[in-house]
Amino acid sequence: MQPLTTKIAKNTFFSFIGKTVGFVSNLALSIIIARMLGPNKFGSYALVGFTITVAELLTNLGLSNVGTKFLSEFTGKENDAIKSGIFFYILKIKIIATLIIVSILLVFSQNFANFYSDNSLRLYIIISAISIFPNSLVSVLSSVITGLQEYKYLAYRTILVSPITIIFTLIALKMGYGIIGLLTVNVVISFIQFIFYFNILKNNFTFISKSHFTLPIELKNRIFKYNWQVFLIICLDSIIWQRSEVFFLGKFHQTSETAFYSLAYGIIEKGMIFLPSIFTSVLMPAMSELYGKKDNLTLQKLYLNSIRYILIISTPICIGLMVLSKPIIFLFYGERFLPVFPVMNVLLIGGLFGIFSSVGSSVLYGTEKQNIILKCGIFIAIINLVLDITIIPKYGALGAALANTVSQVSAVTIGTILVCKLISVTFPVKDLFKIIAASLCMAPVMFVILKLINSNIAILVSITFGALVYFIIICL
């Protein structure tokens, strides 16, 4: 069995490949879709995406996290029979939940359209509902691969699917099919991903064939306890990290406001979170394996080193994007989307906190202390909803960004304190301030270059010199 450090390094490499391809693909797709649909139609598309995301959240029931956590734990214990039992146990529940949710969505599609006063949304929902079933199965299969820490297959999937998605999207929009065409492409891609993962599991993992194995009752109780807490956490996270803002924007404002907020949030996910997530995505299964081995010392070291690496990467990206937000929006999305840049700058603050919170979340999920996230999440979700109701009706997308950021900063601050106390470590505050100082020294250099060079190349030059200044100062 290969050492944990080797496994993390290998998985980080494949995570880098997959997420790099995914980053370029998603960025290209967002530019294509935004420019060809325009703010109003893009807002409608975002509303449909929000609804389907909520539906998939309900079909998920936290089962993807269960697959990743318990399969990685029993990989550490090398028990194929139990891994097989876990897989078929969560797959059965997932299929039943999906059938129920899809049926409800189809029955109430007209009510959804009436709520947002847009009858065309009904057809969009019906088309999108078709993709929920394959997506639901994909989430289980991908969680198995993540739990087994076979990240190469996730990278292969991204390399296969990304160019197909871009090509189909361009064809659909060029032929004038608009949102209906985009949703149909999503359905096709969902089935392609399912076929890919199904063949990977069938051909590469022998434990899948042991479907006769029944899980011990003690393990089922552990899974059940973990599962319902994770599901509630995911529901709370959907409020705290984005979803509630889209709901209130869709209800109280024109669809263009939903478009501005959704686009800003999407850029941060694709641009800022891209690099750090290469590393954070491999942490939870690694920490679950350490938990299964009861190696607390290595767990502490992995947490502290991960925090430092994440801060070194994500802090300059955050501050750099704040400087570059306006020219980037103008260059890639056009003048119609310029209202996105102040929204994006506010969301970047919360995004920075959200990135390094993923390290703490990996610890809590991996050690089955997710109840801490649940208790904290209930408190923050209430604050988030109060802010949404108070600010969004008056200030639109900018108010949504402010409500989201305040909630994220509060949640991450409280959560980090609790994680450090749980595993008996001291947060590297000194390192944090050094990294922030180096990043702030980088910002004026980038700003001056943007003012001196009046062309699109200014963005590239600004990034180059800003990165150089940051690198020199952080080394010193």
Side-chain angles (χ1 to χ4, degrees):
M1 187 174 179
Q2 59 184 322
L4 182 64
T5 52
T6 303
K7 187 181 294 185
I8 291 176
K10 184 184 77 171
N11 288 336
T12 301
F13 169 75
F14 283 111
S15 180
F16 170 77
I17 298 297
K19 288 184 179 295
T20 300
V21 175
F23 162 69
V24 174
S25 171
N26 289 332
L27 184 62
L29 282 171
S30 76
I31 294 170
I32 292 168
I33 294 171
R35 279 187 171 273
M36 298 187 74
L37 289 184
N40 289 325
K41 287 186 178 180
F42 188 87
S44 297
Y45 183 64
L47 275 176
V48 176
F50 156 73
T51 306
I52 297 304
T53 299
V54 172
E56 290 181 341
L57 181 151
L58 296 174
T59 64
N60 183 23
L61 295 173
L63 293 168
S64 297
N65 297 65
V66 169
T68 298
K69 188 264 180 291
F70 285 94
L71 284 168
S72 56
E73 178 180 330
F74 284 95
T75 295
K77 295 179 180 179
E78 301 183 0
N79 193 323
D80 274 359
I82 289 185
K83 285 192 290 185
S84 172
I86 292 170
F87 170 70
F88 286 102
Y89 180 67
I90 63 177
L91 183 63
K92 179 174 64 175
I93 299 173
K94 186 82 167 185
I95 291 172
I96 295 171
T98 302
L99 291 173
I100 293 171
I101 295 301
V102 170
S103 299
I104 293 172
L105 191 63
L106 293 174
V107 170
F108 291 98
S109 58
Q110 185 60 57
N111 299 80
F112 170 83
N114 293 340
F115 181 81
Y116 288 113
S117 303
D118 186 349
N119 200 52
S120 63
L121 293 178
R122 183 189 181 192
L123 178 59
Y124 301 158
I125 292 297
I126 292 172
I127 296 173
S128 298
I130 301 172
S131 68
I132 293 178
F133 194 79
N135 279 339
S136 182
L137 296 177
V138 163
S139 70
V140 173
L141 301 182
S142 63
S143 74
V144 171
I145 291 172
T146 305
L148 298 175
Q149 302 184 62
E150 294 288 350
Y151 282 77
K152 60 184 179 182
Y153 297 117
L154 303 179
Y156 298 158
R157 188 272 305 173
T158 305
I159 293 169
L160 169 69
V161 168
S162 294
I164 296 175
T165 307
I166 293 175
I167 292 169
F168 284 8
T169 298
L170 275 171
I171 292 172
L173 291 175
K174 283 288 186 182
M175 294 180 69
Y177 291 115
I179 294 176
I180 292 177
L182 291 175
L183 298 176
T184 304
V185 170
N186 292 340
V187 172
V188 173
I189 296 301
S190 299
F191 280 100
I192 291 175
Q193 291 186 101
F194 167 70
I195 293 169
F196 174 82
Y197 279 134
F198 177 79
N199 281 290
I200 290 295
L201 287 172
K202 183 182 68 173
N203 296 328
N204 292 276
F205 301 106
T206 56
F207 76 85
I208 297 296
S209 62
K210 301 178 181 180
S211 57
H212 61 279
F213 183 81
T214 302
L215 290 178
I217 188 66
E218 313 88 61
L219 182 56
K220 280 189 177 181
N221 290 337
R222 274 185 66 200
I223 290 175
F224 179 76
K225 179 182 177 182
Y226 184 89
N227 188 197
W228 75 259
Q229 290 182 341
V230 168
F231 174 63
L232 290 178
I233 290 167
I234 291 172
C235 291
L236 292 170
D237 281 353
S238 70
I239 296 174
I240 298 170
W241 300 102
Q242 178 190 14
R243 307 303 171 195
S244 61
E245 284 74 35
V246 174
F247 173 83
F248 287 106
L249 281 170
K251 181 61 180 174
F252 293 114
H253 287 273
Q254 295 179 341
T255 52
S256 59
E257 289 293 306
T258 305
F260 297 147
Y261 177 81
S262 298
L263 185 59
Y265 202 98
I267 292 171
I268 293 171
E269 280 190 314
K270 297 173 184 71
M272 178 181 169
I273 299 177
F274 153 63
L275 283 175
S277 67
I278 292 169
F279 183 66
T280 58
S281 63
V282 308
L283 286 179
M284 204 274 262
M287 289 178 173
S288 294
E289 184 175 336
L290 290 173
Y291 176 70
K293 295 177 179 177
K294 302 187 184 303
D295 190 348
N296 295 326
L297 183 60
T298 304
L299 182 65
Q300 291 173 329
K301 290 180 179 178
L302 181 58
Y303 172 76
L304 289 174
N305 287 331
S306 300
I307 286 289
R308 292 188 179 97
Y309 296 147
I310 295 305
L311 288 173
I312 286 173
I313 296 171
S314 58
T315 307
I317 293 176
C318 172
I319 294 176
L321 280 174
M322 285 183 175
V323 177
L324 297 171
S325 58
K326 187 173 182 178
I328 285 176
I329 294 297
F330 183 79
L331 174 63
F332 290 113
Y333 296 95
E335 189 174 357
R336 292 181 297 174
F337 285 94
L338 277 180
V340 169
F341 95 86
V343 177
M344 178 176 162
N345 281 349
V346 174
L347 285 173
L348 279 166
I349 299 171
L352 176 61
F353 277 75
I355 289 171
F356 74 80
S357 76
S358 60
V359 182
S361 297
S362 297
V363 172
L364 296 175
Y365 283 122
T367 58
E368 295 183 45
K369 297 294 183 182
Q370 65 280 352
N371 61 309
I372 294 176
I373 303 176
L374 179 59
K375 293 173 183 177
C376 180
I378 292 172
F379 173 67
I380 299 299
I382 294 171
I383 294 175
N384 199 157
L385 290 173
V386 170
L387 290 172
D388 286 345
I389 296 169
T390 306
I391 301 175
I392 291 177
K394 185 175 181 180
Y395 296 103
L398 191 59
L402 182 60
N404 182 272
T405 297
V406 171
S407 302
Q408 289 192 40
V409 171
S410 303
V412 174
T413 302
I414 296 171
T416 301
I417 293 170
L418 295 175
V419 169
C420 290
K421 184 177 180 181
L422 174 69
I423 62 174
S424 303
V425 297
T426 301
F427 188 83
V429 177
K430 186 177 179 181
D431 293 337
L432 172 62
F433 282 116
K434 287 180 180 180
I435 294 165
I436 292 175
S439 301
L440 290 175
C441 291
M442 169 193 76
V445 176
M446 299 179 68
F447 183 78
V448 169
I449 291 173
L450 288 175
K451 291 295 182 182
L452 292 177
I453 304 176
N454 188 23
S455 69
N456 291 334
I457 199 175
I459 297 175
L460 182 60
V461 176
S462 178
I463 292 172
T464 302
F465 278 89
L468 181 61
V469 169
Y470 174 75
F471 178 75
I472 292 172
I473 295 175
I474 206 72
C475 287
L476 294 175

